[in-house]
Amino acid sequence: MGLRLSGRRVLVVGGGSVAARRVPRLLSTGAQVHIISPRLTTTLSDLARRGDLSWSERTFRPTDVDGAWLVLAATDDHDANEQIARECEKQRTFCSRADDAEDSTAWAAATTSWDGLQIAVLASGDPLRAKDVRQQLSHQLQDGDLGARRRRAKQAPVGVALVGAGPGDADLITLRGLRLLQRAEVVISDRLVPLELLDVLDDDVELIDAAKLPYGRHTTQEAINTLLVQRASAGKFVVRLKGGDGFVFGRGAEEIDACVDAGIPVHVVPGISSSIAGPAAAGIPVTERGVVHDFTVVSGHVPPLDPTSRVNWEALAASNGTLILLMAVKNRAEIAAALLAGGKDAQTPVRIVENATTVHQLVRDTTLGGLAECEVRSPAVIVIGEVAARSRSVQS
Ligand code: SAH
């Protein structure tokens, strides 16, 4: 049985770790949570301060049960929990006891949810077993074995979803991105999208590799925009899958404009961008307290002296923040020269991360003065600045 708790009073007695684990889910159902406890954990007291729940700073009194639909007895005192349960019994209010499932009239289930489906596992008072089964079900749901089947058609998403696929390793896509990908009828993918991700697609999904689109009079981007609009207008749910985040040098804005102009609903699912994940995978914090308090992500696809360049290299040379260069492999010599000309120290540490987060990840260390001569293979993130020399040794 599921309970509709929205707007209903739920009493939680106890403000420790049990309450801290249970309360967020109660709040997410819209329940009016009231806590009785002399003390609260930091998280709970933050919620109380924000007004997300109410709190009485004292121990339990029988009248507290008045008006509650459901009570959680979550104190660490067995006798107190028993007293609460007795009072609930008298008032015919369901009560879940943290310390004694046998003596409860309600049990908290181990739950998992995915794509509008909720699964609750009860294991006759054996919470470890319930959690274990929940874990297994949760994996099966996410892998699509269970969740993909027998969906209600009316819940199918419509329009176009611009989904960031993450920096390289397939499991760095977001949960929402993966869920939408599993429901796609058409997928338009890019060069830097992890190919393993496409394994989740059923055979009948139309898969279009944008990097291989033939184009004649139009640019590839126009061809992609046209495809997005055509397929979505034909009633298909289209996922536009992009490396990293679709709004970081991803031309996501142009695709959204094309869809919006055609009256097609667009969802945006942010992705983990290689601009931050690349450095992270090589142990580089892009900011570090007391060392660097800013970072700038720059596209290097246009050389500094090119008239179409929109980057103020002089300002970047003067800044002591971290510089993160994308698409800069080809123009690295000109870029280094522009930064040196702007007064940046030739000894400034540089760390280059190729194929970040993938099994082919390769890290190279040099300096700004050595960047032009340093071998680099695409795709690479080039990190310039103090943090490059302060990288931590991390496992991939
Ligand atoms: N939208 C993407 C960036 C697209 S621009 C994102 O947010 O990550 C393409 C550039 O991203 C590449 O030239 C390279 O500089 C960088 N890049 C993408 N994936 C990378 C990876 N796995 N390792 C290193 N650099 C990567």
Side-chain angles (χ1 to χ4, degrees):
M1 190 165 292
L3 302 180
R4 200 177 295 286
L5 293 174
S6 178
R8 306 216 152 94
R9 184 179 173 87
V10 174
L11 183 74
V12 177
V13 190
S17 62
V18 175
R21 264 182 287 129
R22 299 267 179 86
V23 163
R25 271 200 43 233
L26 287 171
L27 290 175
S28 73
T29 66
Q32 273 175 21
V33 175
H34 184 73
I35 303 189
I36 312 276
S37 175
R39 279 173 305 278
L40 291 186
T41 66
T42 321
T43 319
L44 291 174
S45 68
D46 282 348
L47 291 169
R49 202 170 321 121
R50 285 212 303 263
D52 292 351
L53 52 81
S54 51
W55 173 36
S56 300
E57 193 175 346
R58 56 170 173 76
T59 53
F60 175 75
R61 295 175 198 142
T63 49
D64 289 333
V65 176
D66 297 352
W69 290 72
L70 178 70
V71 174
L72 255 61
T75 78
D76 50 12
D77 175 347
H78 184 81
D79 294 342
N81 287 345
E82 197 160 279
Q83 188 202 357
I84 298 160
R86 257 200 324 267
E87 190 56 36
C88 289
E89 185 74 27
K90 221 189 289 168
Q91 299 207 31
R92 303 185 176 203
T93 302
F94 279 107
C95 176
S96 164
R97 271 184 73 165
D99 59 337
D100 190 347
E102 280 301 300
D103 198 38
S104 292
T105 49
W107 297 268
T111 63
T112 181
S113 61
W114 181 255
D115 201 9
L117 196 68
Q118 284 104 40
I119 294 184
V121 182
L122 296 169
S124 313
D126 182 347
L128 288 181
R129 185 167 174 220
K131 280 185 185 155
D132 188 44
V133 174
R134 185 258 314 263
Q135 184 80 353
Q136 291 180 37
L137 286 170
S138 155
H139 286 150
Q140 285 186 47
L141 273 175
Q142 293 180 20
D143 292 346
D145 301 358
L146 266 180
R149 301 207 183 113
R150 297 183 197 284
R151 281 181 204 119
R152 295 229 307 280
K154 72 172 189 191
Q155 286 183 340
V158 292
V160 169
L162 181 73
V163 174
D169 201 350
D171 64 4
L172 288 173
I173 191 173
T174 63
L175 291 175
R176 186 183 297 179
L178 182 60
R179 183 159 57 74
L180 289 177
L181 188 61
Q182 285 170 343
R183 306 191 66 165
E185 294 168 294
V186 178
V187 173
I188 306 183
S189 82
D190 260 347
R191 214 164 38 84
L192 286 171
V193 164
L195 291 175
E196 304 92 294
L197 272 179
L198 306 175
D199 276 356
V200 307
L201 304 178
D202 286 338
D203 293 343
D204 56 351
V205 174
E206 184 187 11
L207 179 60
I208 302 168
D209 184 346
K212 296 203 184 120
L213 279 184
Y215 58 99
R217 286 186 304 118
H218 300 293
T219 65
T220 324
Q221 190 57 54
E222 281 170 336
I224 295 170
N225 295 353
T226 307
L227 266 173
L228 286 170
V229 170
Q230 269 176 358
R231 295 298 192 274
S233 304
K236 303 282 188 193
F237 174 54
V238 185
V239 167
R240 172 71 173 113
L241 197 58
K242 302 207 167 223
D245 181 281
F247 279 178
V248 179
F249 307 138
R251 304 191 68 166
E254 296 160 58
E255 295 175 5
I256 287 185
D257 290 346
C259 292
V260 170
D261 286 349
I264 290 162
V266 191
H267 317 254
V268 175
V269 182
I272 298 180
S273 173
S274 66
S275 55
I276 297 174
I284 304 170
V286 292
T287 65
E288 191 169 341
R289 201 171 71 92
V291 181
V292 172
H293 293 180
D294 59 314
F295 62 91
T296 310
V297 179
V298 189
S299 166
H301 80 290
V302 176
L305 296 176
D306 192 290
T308 64
S309 170
R310 302 190 57 83
V311 178
N312 185 342
W313 291 101
E314 231 170 283
L316 293 179
S319 135
N320 51 16
T322 306
L323 290 183
I324 301 163
L325 307 181
L326 268 55
M327 298 187 279
V329 172
K330 195 165 118 248
N331 296 325
R332 65 188 183 283
E334 286 99 319
I335 290 170
L339 291 172
L340 291 169
K344 208 161 187 59
D345 189 344
Q347 292 309 310
T348 309
V350 173
R351 188 160 242 225
I352 299 159
V353 194
E354 294 176 12
N355 287 300
T357 77
T358 74
V359 289
H360 305 295
Q361 175 170 315
L362 185 73
V363 177
R364 305 177 197 264
D365 288 305
T366 180
T367 57
L368 188 57
L371 179 58
E373 296 302 317
C374 182
E375 187 188 348
V376 188
R377 271 183 239 126
S378 221
V381 177
I382 301 175
V383 187
I384 304 173
E386 202 52 44
V387 288
R390 299 172 62 89
S391 62
R392 312 313 202 257
S393 160
V394 294
Q395 305 297 308
S396 55

